């Protein structure tokens, strides 16, 4: 993703760090490889790898394989029973600093709920009991209801116990029944793209869906469902100063009451 994001966001063609890799004989791929991975492997097998591949349009991921957890690798981590799944890709918003929309696009694509359910079921045999859904914005996945219902069914009817963390936008808590289903499905924490609590910075970043005056209500709503809030907070926007950052930290802690930033 670093390669894809760096190239997509560059205003001057291939960025220097990417060019340096290619100069050293490293093949770079910009884009998602689900529908052409076999072609890349074939080129490598026959010694015909190009220096650079740019893949477009983005692939259909509805039936794409979900990576399998390898216990031999996981035992090297502090918590070896964690899995990651991207249930969907893309984001409908247009924040100026975002690599996601420049790599994965603004049209949402998603995996089938049945495939996610099957992977979680299979992972339970490996004692995987915590997931991070890596979607940039799970709340805008058009299949979110079916995915959460599938997870609820695993808990209720198959006795598979697990929790998960997901990423959402600040408006997600207004989606009818979204928080309730997320909590029932096992959501213990959300990562929210708050980014700044300065209205001038919000305008500068093109993130007009964020309303500073509503942040506290949003955090309270998630907390009411027993879900912790970890917010993204960016330092370096046009209207940041040393003094404003100190005040922002105080407000995040004492007024808005996020759990982590």
């Amino acid at each position: 993703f670093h390669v894809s994001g760096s190239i997509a966001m560059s205003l001057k063609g291939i960025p220097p760090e990417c060019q340096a890799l290619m100069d050293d004989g490293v093949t770079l791929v910009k884009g998602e490889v689900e529908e052409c991975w076999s072609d890349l492997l074939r080129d490598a097998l026959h010694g015909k790898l190009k220096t650079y591949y740019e893949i477009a349009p983005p692939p259909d991921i509805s039936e794409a394989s979900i990576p399998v957890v390898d216990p031999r690798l996981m035992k090297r981590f502090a918590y070896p029973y964690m899995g990651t799944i991207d249930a969907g890709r893309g984001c409908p918003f247009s924040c100026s600093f975002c690599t996601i929309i420049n790599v994965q696009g603004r049209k949402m694509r998603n995996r089938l709920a049945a495939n996610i359910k099957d992977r979680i079921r299979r992972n339970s045999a490996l004692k995987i009991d915590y997931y991070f859904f890596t979607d940039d914005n799970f709340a805008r996945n058009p299949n979110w209801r079916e995915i959460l219902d599938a997870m609820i069914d695993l808990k209720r009817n198959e006795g598979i116990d697990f929790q998960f963390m997901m990423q959402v936008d600040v408006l997600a808590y207004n989606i009818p029944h979204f928080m309730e289903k997320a909590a029932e499905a096992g959501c213990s924490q959300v990562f929210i793209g708050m980014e700044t609590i300065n209205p001038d910075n919000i305008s500068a970043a093109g993130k007009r869906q964020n309303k500073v005056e509503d942040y506290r209500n949003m955090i309270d709503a998630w907390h009411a469902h027993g879900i912790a809030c970890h917010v993204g907070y960016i330092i370096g926007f046009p209207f940041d100063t040393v003094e404003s950052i100190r005040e922002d930290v105080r407000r995040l802690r004492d007024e808005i009451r996020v759990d982590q930033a």
Side-chain angles (χ1 to χ4, degrees):
F1 194 92
H2 173 79
V3 167
S4 300
S6 293
I7 296 173
M9 299 289 278
S10 174
L11 299 177
K12 299 180 179 180
I14 301 295
E17 70 274 16
C18 293
Q19 185 62 54
L21 284 170
M22 292 192 292
D23 291 344
D24 284 340
V26 178
T27 291
L28 301 189
V29 181
K30 175 180 178 286
E32 304 170 39
V33 301
E34 273 82 359
E35 291 178 351
C36 64
W37 184 230
S38 58
D39 297 328
L40 294 171
L41 292 178
R42 189 177 297 109
D43 285 355
L45 178 65
H46 295 292
K48 296 181 179 179
L49 271 178
K50 302 174 185 176
T51 304
Y52 176 62
Y53 293 84
E54 182 163 350
I55 299 167
D60 175 9
I61 63 168
S62 58
E63 296 278 7
S65 298
I66 299 175
V68 178
V69 174
D70 184 347
R72 294 171 300 175
L73 173 64
M74 294 305 297
K75 70 181 182 180
R76 299 175 180 272
F77 287 81
Y79 188 68
Y81 304 114
M82 180 175 176
T84 59
I85 295 176
D86 62 335
R89 298 179 190 167
C91 183
F93 296 112
S94 55
C95 309
S96 64
F97 54 84
C98 183
T99 56
I100 294 291
I101 56 177
N102 285 281
V103 175
Q104 297 181 351
R106 293 180 61 195
K107 182 179 179 180
M108 301 297 295
R109 292 165 288 133
N110 59 272
R111 299 185 187 276
L112 296 178
N115 293 347
I116 295 172
K117 183 179 184 179
D118 181 65
R119 175 49 56 199
I120 294 174
R121 182 189 292 117
R122 291 170 181 266
N123 284 349
S124 68
L126 304 174
K127 300 181 180 180
I128 303 299
D129 62 6
Y130 196 88
Y131 288 89
F132 175 37
F133 284 92
T134 61
D135 307 39
D136 193 59
N137 196 341
F138 185 90
R140 304 303 161 177
N141 184 322
N143 215 26
W144 69 261
R145 187 182 299 272
E146 290 83 356
I147 294 169
L148 294 180
D149 281 341
M151 295 162 71
I152 292 169
D153 185 66
L154 285 173
K155 289 173 170 288
R156 282 182 183 172
N157 300 318
E158 299 187 33
I160 298 175
D161 189 30
F162 58 91
Q163 294 182 321
F164 67 94
M165 175 182 176
M166 62 180 175
Q167 302 182 111
V168 298
D169 61 83
V170 297
L171 300 177
Y173 84 105
N174 289 319
I175 299 174
H177 310 299
F178 180 67
M179 288 187 296
E180 292 90 338
K181 280 193 174 290
E184 189 177 0
C187 182
S188 61
Q189 184 173 134
V190 288
F191 181 93
I192 304 169
M194 187 176 285
E195 324 306 8
T196 178
I197 61 176
N198 183 329
D200 292 332
N201 282 332
I202 288 175
S203 296
K207 194 153 190 163
R208 292 176 175 82
Q209 69 269 22
N210 285 27
K211 306 297 181 185
V212 172
E213 63 274 12
D214 199 38
Y215 282 171
R216 175 61 186 272
N217 292 334
M218 171 190 63
I219 299 298
D220 286 347
W222 285 109
H223 283 169
H225 287 84
I227 298 173
C229 297
H230 183 167
V231 304
Y233 177 80
I234 296 174
I235 294 175
F237 278 128
F239 296 94
D240 284 343
T241 66
V242 173
E243 293 73 21
S244 73
I245 297 296
R246 287 198 180 104
E247 175 61 11
D248 285 356
V249 171
R250 184 199 66 76
R251 290 182 60 199
L252 285 168
R253 182 191 63 202
D254 300 337
E255 297 177 13
I256 302 173
R257 297 185 181 178
V258 303
D259 300 285
Q260 298 181 69

